[in-house]
Amino acid sequence: LQLLRPKPVPKRLKTSQKKPREPQVARSLIKEIFSHFVKMPVTRDAFKVVEKCSERFFKQLSNDLEAYSNHAGRKTVEMADLELLMRRQGLVTDKMPLHVLIERHLPLEYRKLLIPVAVSGNKVIPLK
């Protein structure tokens, strides 16, 4: 009689570690926003360029906001940083304040979140 021995289990080969991927804006979101403003069909090649430009824009935007908050000695990006960036880009001026841009371009759900509104009972929404 032979002793029963367990079958040897092959050792797993070390798989290469995956590189951490940078977060990306969803393609569907970029396409939805772009098609909303263009209001005409866009070829795939043109959309690829729009997608690359959007990625670069958001990367630069986040780097600038990070630099502004670091310069102010904070670890959190605040509304003032975004307003300063938009002022430096020429989007916010004395004649065109940030609240007007928010009201003009964002849907009501987002406006309610960004612009404080006084309601009955001396309450201000959104609360900070």
Side-chain angles (χ1 to χ4, degrees), residues 48-102:
K48 286 179 184 178
V49 173
V50 168
E51 199 173 20
K52 263 187 191 173
C53 291
S54 299
E55 290 295 326
R56 287 184 181 169
F57 171 77
F58 283 112
K59 193 171 192 173
Q60 184 65 48
L61 178 79
S62 60
N63 289 340
D64 290 346
L65 289 172
E66 182 182 7
Y68 291 161
S69 62
N70 285 339
H71 181 71
R74 290 183 270 106
K75 292 184 177 183
T76 305
V77 174
E78 294 183 356
M79 183 77 125
D81 300 324
L82 183 62
E83 191 167 358
L84 176 63
L85 177 66
M86 293 179 79
R87 190 171 290 280
R88 294 206 50 189
Q89 291 176 343
L91 298 171
V92 173
T93 61
D94 293 335
K95 292 181 180 180
M96 181 66 67
L98 182 60
H99 291 297
V100 173
L101 285 174
I102 290 171

Side-chain angles (χ1 to χ4, degrees), residues 30-58:
I30 294 172
K31 189 171 186 175
E32 183 180 337
I33 292 170
F34 188 69
S35 62
H36 170 76
F37 289 106
V38 172
K39 296 182 176 138
M40 63 176 51
V42 179
T43 64
R44 286 185 182 177
D45 294 336
F47 182 69
K48 286 179 184 178
V49 173
V50 168
E51 199 173 20
K52 263 187 191 173
C53 291
S54 299
E55 290 295 326
R56 287 184 181 169
F57 171 77
F58 283 112

Side-chain angles (χ1 to χ4, degrees), residues 99-112:
H99 291 297
V100 173
L101 285 174
I102 290 171
E103 289 172 356
R104 187 176 290 175
H105 296 289
L106 293 180
L108 184 60
E109 310 88 63
Y110 296 122
R111 279 187 256 160
K112 286 181 180 179

